[in-house]
Amino acid sequence: MTIMIYDFAVIGKGLIGSAAAKYLAAQGSVIIVGPDEPKNSGHGVVYASHYDQARIQRITGTDDCWTTLNRRSAKKYRALQEATGIYFHREIGCLYVNPHGWDLYLERIKFLSPPGDKQHLLYNREQGWDNQFDAYQFPKGSVGFLEKELAGTINPRLLIEAQLQALTARNGKVLRSVAEKIIRSNEEWLIMTQGGNVVKARQALVAAGAFSNCFNLLPVKLDLTLKSEATIWAAVSEAESKRLEQLPALLYEIETPEVQNIYLVPPVEYPDGRHYIKMGANLSEDVFFTDLNGIQKWFQSPADESSLKKLEIHLHQLLPNVDLETVFPKKCIVTKTAHGKPYIGEIEKDLFVSTGGNGYSAMCSDALGELSAELMISGKFLAGLSQEDFVPIFSNKN
């Protein structure tokens, strides 16, 4: 058994955890604990939605809090990319479209965007759509909003790689293992891992996403809802990918009994050398999880063919003139909180939590990590954000 002693330990080597560890490293010794992506997804102990190349980056969120987090994160990307040489952000814009017409989000945008603002452009189907995104096909009555500056896509795998590189450049350490238990010992927290290592830390942060209530990481269970998320990958040729390289990312606010809230990322090159369009949505057959066993069984089971067909129909409707090759599904989980904002706070003395992205954390993970680190270091929240919005809520099922 190896015992390691640090000022800070971060449990969870995902988007939020890697960002938090980077910021903590400026103030003391840091170790981040979490497994690498399994080579065979069917044999993983934990699974993560950031095992992916494509996520949407929008700036104007559903309220001022999410907007502040998104903008604060995106403004840090250029410096992080230049410092590490890892380029994870494509500033191709993000297009929001409601096929049913005006909604509250679009009304809000209308008043936030000054006349003539070239970074925030409103469109409707009758006036015609910009030829920048004419590969998309929307029904009559659709209204859309194109956000350009800082908006587009991010590569989660590369973003985490960049954060970890920045961490190690500040002498932070990475322990590639699953944390199984956290206990208090005198004035320190002890983190036990599957590999038999023990980490001692003055302060600990649990940023384990959907797995924050699993194992024995927290003394109390958080009020989290874990929901399945259906996504599909559609391969396109390299030539087709090149043709669509400036197509903006899409948030398509469809509301039907079976499919809601589609998001689509234009073609991205994956590690296998092929280019894929990614699309996901909320579906009527989405399932919910209560424990680790349920999560593992679901990830290891075959994909639902009916979900694949539903999404494929909508993909062809949105991109009718794109030559799609093979289409296959992939699974992920959305971690939702009781109040709709991430839980960031102190659970016990010097034991903190940062989890529950509600489907939005990828685009603002840097700010969430910075917010968590600042709370641990100073006991304060970043300016412009209210601690009340992020208060952890505990489950009454403990």
Side-chain angles (χ1 to χ4, degrees):
M1 179 176 69
T2 302
I3 298 179
M4 296 167 277
I5 304 174
Y6 295 87
D7 293 321
F8 308 104
V10 177
I11 296 86
K13 193 163 61 65
L15 288 159
I16 298 173
S18 61
K22 174 192 69 176
Y23 286 110
L24 288 168
Q27 299 295 325
S29 59
V30 182
I31 187 169
I32 186 168
V33 182
D36 286 337
E37 180 177 352
K39 293 182 180 179
N40 186 330
S41 61
H43 295 87
V45 177
V46 298
Y47 302 83
S49 300
H50 60 251
Y51 299 156
D52 186 17
Q53 305 285 105
R55 289 294 187 85
I56 288 177
Q57 176 69 59
R58 73 168 167 185
I59 304 303
T60 307
T62 54
D63 60 24
D64 291 339
C65 179
W66 286 113
T67 301
T68 298
L69 292 168
N70 293 344
R71 186 171 296 280
R72 191 177 185 95
S73 292
K75 283 187 172 181
K76 300 288 185 70
Y77 291 162
R78 180 171 295 179
L80 181 59
Q81 291 179 140
E82 291 176 352
T84 61
I86 299 172
Y87 294 87
F88 54 83
H89 181 213
R90 289 201 303 160
E91 201 170 336
I92 56 175
C94 180
L95 178 63
Y96 174 99
V97 174
N98 190 324
H100 312 294
W102 288 97
D103 59 22
L104 292 176
Y105 179 75
L106 289 167
E107 287 290 341
R108 180 172 176 266
I109 292 298
K110 183 169 65 174
F111 290 105
L112 286 178
S113 304
D117 182 359
K118 298 300 183 183
Q119 301 302 328
H120 304 81
L121 303 173
L122 283 164
Y123 297 90
N124 65 59
R125 183 69 178 82
E126 283 63 42
Q127 293 174 343
W129 299 87
D130 192 298
N131 58 14
Q132 179 184 352
F133 46 84
D134 61 3
Y136 290 128
Q137 182 66 51
F138 305 115
K140 185 177 181 179
S142 297
V143 180
F145 160 64
L146 178 65
E147 190 167 40
K148 292 186 176 181
E149 185 180 15
L150 298 175
T153 66
I154 55 172
N155 182 320
R157 286 190 178 110
L158 293 184
L159 174 52
I160 291 174
E161 184 180 337
Q163 300 285 26
L164 294 178
Q165 182 172 308
L167 167 66
T168 56
R170 295 176 176 178
N171 297 315
K173 303 299 181 183
V174 181
L175 178 58
R176 303 175 188 279
S177 183
V178 175
E180 291 189 318
K181 190 175 185 178
I182 302 177
I183 60 173
R184 186 73 171 174
S185 177
N186 297 322
E187 295 300 312
E188 297 170 322
W189 288 100
L190 303 183
I191 298 97
M192 287 80 165
T193 75
Q194 280 191 346
N197 292 311
V198 177
V199 174
K200 283 187 176 182
R202 179 172 54 85
Q203 291 185 311
L205 172 68
V206 175
F211 298 90
S212 296
N213 278 340
C214 299
F215 306 102
N216 292 289
L217 302 181
L218 295 172
V220 288
K221 300 293 186 184
L222 296 167
D223 188 351
L224 294 173
T225 299
L226 309 181
K227 185 190 79 69
S228 67
E229 181 89 351
T231 61
I232 59 171
W233 269 247
V236 298
S237 68
E238 187 172 352
E240 191 75 331
S241 179
K242 181 72 174 176
R243 181 176 75 87
L244 302 172
E245 65 181 359
Q246 292 306 312
L247 193 67
L250 175 66
L251 295 169
Y252 190 58
E253 291 301 293
I254 188 171
E255 291 289 341
T256 71
E258 293 192 330
V259 181
Q260 305 87 38
N261 313 118
I262 288 173
Y263 61 90
L264 187 151
V265 183
V268 174
E269 184 175 358
Y270 274 71
D272 64 0
R274 302 190 71 185
H275 295 77
Y276 298 97
I277 295 170
K278 175 188 173 182
M279 194 181 86
N282 293 320
L283 300 179
S284 57
E285 60 263 38
D286 286 343
V287 297
F288 295 86
F289 310 98
T290 58
D291 56 29
L292 178 62
N293 184 57
I295 295 172
Q296 290 177 331
K297 282 187 175 180
W298 180 72
F299 268 106
Q300 294 166 6
S301 64
D304 185 348
E305 288 298 321
S306 66
S307 297
L308 173 63
K309 291 177 181 178
K310 285 181 184 179
L311 290 177
E312 192 171 355
I313 288 170
H314 283 279
L315 180 58
H316 282 288
Q317 290 175 347
L318 286 168
L319 295 170
N321 299 314
V322 174
D323 185 14
L324 305 177
E325 299 175 351
T326 56
V327 180
F328 62 91
K330 188 176 178 182
K331 300 178 178 181
C332 67
I333 290 180
V334 174
T335 306
K336 296 189 175 185
T337 63
H339 53 47
K341 297 292 191 301
Y343 293 150
I344 299 177
E346 192 171 18
I347 303 299
E348 287 190 8
K349 187 179 185 302
D350 294 325
L351 177 63
F352 297 79
V353 67
S354 183
T355 191
N358 296 276
Y360 300 134
S361 63
M363 67 183 79
C364 60
S365 60
D366 189 274
L368 293 174
E370 184 183 17
L371 184 60
S372 305
E374 182 62 29
L375 181 64
M376 295 174 71
I377 293 164
S378 70
K380 299 178 182 178
F381 261 51
L382 297 171
L385 294 166
S386 171
Q387 189 166 356
E388 294 179 356
D389 287 337
F390 301 89
V391 172
I393 297 176
F394 304 112
S395 173
N396 57 15
K397 298 178 182 179
N398 288 314

